[in-house]
Amino acid sequence: MDYEVVIGCEVHVELKTKTKIFCNCPTDFGGAPNTHVCPVCLGLPGTLPVLNKKVLEYAIKAGLATNCEIAEYSKFDRKNYFYPDLTKAYQISQFDLPICKNGYVEINVGGKTKKIGLTRIHMEEDAGKLVHQGATITSATGSLADYNRAGVPLIEIVSEPDLRSAEEVLAFLTNLKAIIEYTGVSDAKMEQGSLRCDVNISLRPFGQEEFGTRAEIKNLNSFRAVERVINYEIDRQTDILEDGGQVVQETRTWDEGKGVTLSLRSKEDSDEYRYFPDPDLTPLVIDRAWVEELRSSLPEMPMAKRKRLIEEEGLPEYDAGVITSSKVLAEFYDGVRAHYGDAKKTSNWIMGELLARVNAEGIELEDIKVKPEHLAALLTVLDKGEINGKIAKEVFAEMFNTGKEPESIIKEKGLVQISDEGAIVAIVDEVLANNPKSVEDYRAGKKQAMGFLVGQVMKASKGQANPGVVNKLLAERLEQ
Amino acid sequence: MITKEVVEKVAKLSRLELTEEEVAVHAEQLNKILETMDILKQIDTDGIEPLAHVLPIQNVLREDEVGECMPREKVLSNAPEQADGMFQVPKIV
């Protein structure tokens, strides 16, 4: 039998605030263990959490950017469970009155646009980090707890079960990541753990209304892992159903090395979190004027930008997709275009030279040294024929490595164009002497031989000869 | 109705170890509390929003400014076991 796969995602995003959600400790990553902690995030008796205003602002921004309704009234609740990564034996989260709900993210798969519903976005605190003393958690003799991350602000974005394939999930995560990145509320980097994804997967026979039993796979930290998990789970659950069995509702973990999902715990005994309103925190009444102010502060979102690049800039869909998938790239593109007229050439250089070098060097887009206005300047001199394409790429390599402007690189490296007729005449004569056949062809009426001779002169001058002067001198000599 | 099983389950979730007698005592006391709650249930609460906080305060927020953290010796001073600057806990699963 053929089964339809039904997938929903829960995405945790670490907010880029300076301090934790309920105390003044810094959120910086990489401090020595337990040095970014205080009595509040350690949950010591007698302390009181106070909400960081920036967290609320960022959560609202994320909600507005994903077409959510922003709550008029919201509150925090305690999610009670025992685990050593929690200092208080509860996590401060939001239960029935989340800050945002009923949003959507648009995806574009197979040329079709589809809206993926967002059930809600809520604010919560991150847990600490555990280092297990052994190869795996089950074989460990004990664990060590570092609470630097405890209290780092998160938003949890919960999607509707609207996704129907690994391809759709990847498109959803790519767009959601781009949207979050555009708003500036998070770095949204999966490799660095600032964006983490749980997926809920179930199968049902095509045409069946009700959902099948789902498995939840937690803490996926790469797009590749998400794709592999989904394909693995589709196979695993199909096998169970084909054999007449039943999928167990449970939480599973992904074993990257073995490429399998493993049962962590069955859902029945874990889901009793006994939520109740946290009396230490006051309810939130959200000022509508503030919400509107935040709405108007949002930049153009990736899907809108993508549309603009296709419709107004005339870029192919593929180019527009690549450029808008990252805020840094999109801004870089706009930066070049502010000084340079050719949209497609800009996109070609960004997707070709720039991204090829970024990938080859393995650097982050944020760390690109090339300035957009410098690429614009390079393309302008290239268009004017002051340098040729080969030299332009050479200059670009230097710009990429040093961040210098093209003009000074061209001067320093002696790549500047030679327009002095005396210097070019010598090369022209040499080329004519070495290519008597072409000279003969030209004089016999094959005017296209000129192009070949120009090319030879340019080559001999390492691309530095002024093509106008070369043409003029060649014509003079050939007509003699 | 709070049965012995319910008490045992709640105790397990709260990581409490109760003796047979304690389970019986708690079951009885919890049932009495629920009986009192039943009296409250008689009040008509149609159209009344659930209360999120007992005090009439809202929007208590702080600015996003970094403050002092605690010295690590102090952080770990109550830890029964520690290693490498971290709290050491027994085997988890």
Side-chain angles (χ1 to χ4, degrees):
Chain A
M1 193 191 285
D2 267 352
Y3 296 98
E4 180 182 37
V5 56
V6 176
I7 306 166
C9 290
E10 287 165 28
V11 180
H12 286 89
V13 175
E14 228 175 64
L15 299 178
K16 212 165 59 179
T17 55
K18 292 206 268 296
T19 66
K20 293 186 178 182
I21 181 168
F22 299 121
C23 65
N24 291 320
C25 289
T27 51
D28 305 343
F29 183 75
N34 294 306
T35 54
H36 295 173
V37 291
C38 74
V40 175
C41 54
L42 286 172
L44 300 186
T47 56
L48 270 184
V50 184
L51 180 62
N52 181 343
K53 190 179 177 191
K54 211 77 186 166
V55 171
L56 182 58
E57 175 187 322
Y58 283 180
I60 294 174
K61 273 190 165 180
L64 291 171
T66 51
N67 312 292
C68 286
E69 297 161 18
I70 308 302
E72 307 258 343
Y73 188 81
S74 185
K75 70 171 165 77
F76 285 98
D77 302 273
R78 292 185 181 180
K79 179 180 181 178
N80 298 281
Y81 64 96
F82 276 92
Y83 205 71
D85 61 1
L86 285 183
T87 55
K88 309 184 291 298
Y90 60 85
Q91 178 195 29
I92 304 177
S93 181
Q94 296 197 285
F95 184 50
D96 56 334
L97 295 172
I99 186 69
C100 313
K101 55 180 187 177
N102 298 335
Y104 65 86
V105 166
E106 275 185 335
I107 61 168
N108 206 298
V109 171
K112 279 193 195 141
T113 301
K114 181 173 170 183
K115 280 182 186 175
I116 306 303
L118 297 186
T119 318
R120 58 187 281 160
I121 300 178
H122 66 254
M123 300 175 276
E124 62 185 25
E125 55 180 348
D126 205 346
K129 201 179 98 189
L130 295 175
V131 181
H132 304 300
Q133 296 166 301
T136 63
I137 184 169
T138 42
S139 66
T141 51
S143 299
L144 298 174
D146 169 13
Y147 295 115
N148 283 350
R149 201 180 63 187
V152 166
L154 300 176
I155 48 173
E156 179 175 332
I157 303 168
V158 183
S159 90
E160 292 285 308
D162 287 346
L163 298 154
R164 293 291 175 275
S165 66
E167 198 188 1
E168 286 192 4
V169 173
L170 292 183
F172 170 73
L173 290 175
T174 305
N175 283 6
L176 183 63
K177 175 181 153 60
I179 290 169
I180 295 297
E181 202 200 336
Y182 275 48
T183 59
V185 306
S186 171
D187 292 331
K189 289 209 174 95
M190 270 188 131
E191 330 66 77
Q192 293 174 12
S194 56
L195 189 147
R196 318 194 277 268
C197 180
D198 304 344
V199 288
N200 285 290
I201 310 180
S202 64
L203 300 184
R204 64 180 171 190
F206 273 102
Q208 180 180 305
E209 186 110 357
E210 73 203 84
F211 294 134
T213 308
R214 69 171 193 265
E216 179 178 20
I217 297 87
K218 283 213 171 273
N219 274 329
L220 301 171
N221 57 8
S222 75
F223 282 80
R224 177 89 187 107
V226 169
E227 187 177 18
R228 290 177 72 195
V229 156
I230 292 170
N231 291 328
Y232 178 85
E233 273 299 304
I234 291 172
D235 288 348
R236 185 183 73 88
Q237 295 186 20
T238 302
D239 286 350
I240 293 173
L241 296 172
E242 296 276 87
D243 292 347
Q246 281 190 326
V247 175
V248 182
Q249 183 170 341
E250 62 184 352
T251 301
R252 298 177 72 84
T253 180
W254 171 241
D255 185 323
E256 183 80 43
K258 295 199 180 85
V260 296
T261 65
L262 302 165
S263 179
L264 257 192
R265 54 180 193 242
S266 73
K267 208 67 179 166
E268 295 93 286
D269 17 284
S270 69
D271 239 8
E272 299 190 40
Y273 293 126
R274 293 153 294 144
Y275 281 98
F276 64 87
D278 193 324
D280 286 348
L281 288 151
T282 65
L284 301 165
V285 178
I286 311 300
D287 176 23
R288 304 332 281 175
W290 188 40
V291 171
E292 290 317 307
E293 196 184 301
L294 293 176
R295 191 193 302 277
S296 59
S297 76
L298 289 175
E300 184 182 29
M301 286 296 127
M303 281 304 266
K305 188 158 232 156
R306 185 173 178 278
K307 206 167 163 246
R308 181 169 65 78
L309 293 192
I310 295 167
E311 290 174 4
E312 291 173 29
E313 298 274 280
L315 287 186
E317 271 190 35
Y318 178 78
D319 295 37
V322 172
I323 288 171
T324 57
S325 67
S326 142
K327 187 192 188 190
V328 177
L329 272 192
E331 284 174 353
F332 193 92
Y333 174 87
D334 285 343
V336 177
R337 290 281 290 113
H339 303 275
Y340 178 69
D342 190 329
K344 180 58 183 154
K345 215 177 260 178
T346 303
S347 144
N348 287 348
W349 274 75
I350 289 177
M351 298 202 309
E353 289 303 303
L354 181 64
L355 283 186
R357 287 183 187 279
V358 166
N359 293 334
E361 303 277 321
I363 64 164
E364 297 287 343
L365 290 170
E366 287 82 354
D367 300 332
I368 292 175
K369 289 186 191 143
V370 186
K371 305 257 181 315
E373 57 272 26
H374 292 168
L375 176 55
L378 178 70
L379 296 179
T380 305
V381 294
L382 173 62
D383 283 355
K384 281 191 194 152
E386 290 176 10
I387 55 172
N388 66 13
K390 189 168 164 283
I391 287 186
K393 285 183 184 176
E394 208 178 296
V395 173
F396 184 81
E398 187 71 12
M399 289 162 64
F400 185 86
N401 291 330
T402 62
K404 282 191 199 156
E405 4 167 40
E407 293 83 353
S408 55
I409 295 170
I410 292 168
K411 253 183 225 148
E412 272 169 34
K413 297 213 149 200
L415 299 171
V416 77
Q417 179 158 268
I418 305 165
S419 300
D420 174 44
E421 291 200 8
I424 298 174
V425 156
I427 304 172
V428 166
D429 286 343
E430 194 191 327
V431 166
L432 291 177
N434 292 338
N435 296 279
K437 176 85 173 66
S438 299
V439 175
E440 212 174 287
D441 286 350
Y442 181 85
R443 290 187 173 136
K446 284 192 186 165
K447 299 295 178 199
Q448 60 268 39
M450 177 73 138
F452 172 77
L453 291 168
V454 170
Q456 292 303 304
V457 175
M458 292 306 291
K459 196 176 161 192
S461 74
K462 300 199 182 75
Q464 286 171 250
N466 180 326
V469 176
V470 172
N471 271 294
K472 177 175 157 269
L473 291 176
L474 268 175
E476 278 170 19
R477 285 281 194 278
L478 289 167
E479 298 299 338
Q480 275 168 8
Chain B
M1 176 71 182
I2 304 284
T3 60
K4 181 172 159 278
E5 287 71 33
V6 174
V7 174
E8 280 167 351
K9 186 170 184 181
V10 174
K12 190 183 162 215
L13 286 171
S14 310
R15 300 296 189 276
L16 295 174
E17 243 177 285
L18 300 181
T19 62
E20 284 278 314
E21 294 80 52
E22 283 170 326
V23 170
V25 169
H26 284 293
E28 195 195 328
Q29 290 180 350
L30 287 169
N31 276 318
K32 276 188 182 151
I33 292 170
L34 286 190
E35 277 165 31
T36 310
M37 291 295 167
D38 280 337
I39 299 172
L40 291 175
K41 271 191 186 167
Q42 292 166 14
I43 299 167
D44 179 11
T45 55
D46 278 357
I48 296 173
E49 287 293 316
L51 189 68
H53 203 276
V54 292
L55 298 174
I57 45 170
Q58 60 199 32
N59 299 348
V60 177
L61 303 167
R62 40 168 267 275
E63 295 301 321
D64 186 27
E65 285 160 12
V66 177
E68 286 283 301
C69 293
M70 223 169 147
R72 190 159 76 184
E73 316 81 73
K74 258 190 150 171
V75 170
L76 294 169
S77 58
N78 283 330
E81 303 276 348
Q82 52 169 290
D84 305 329
M86 291 181 270
F87 294 86
Q88 185 160 29
V89 300
K91 187 174 165 56
I92 299 168
V93 289

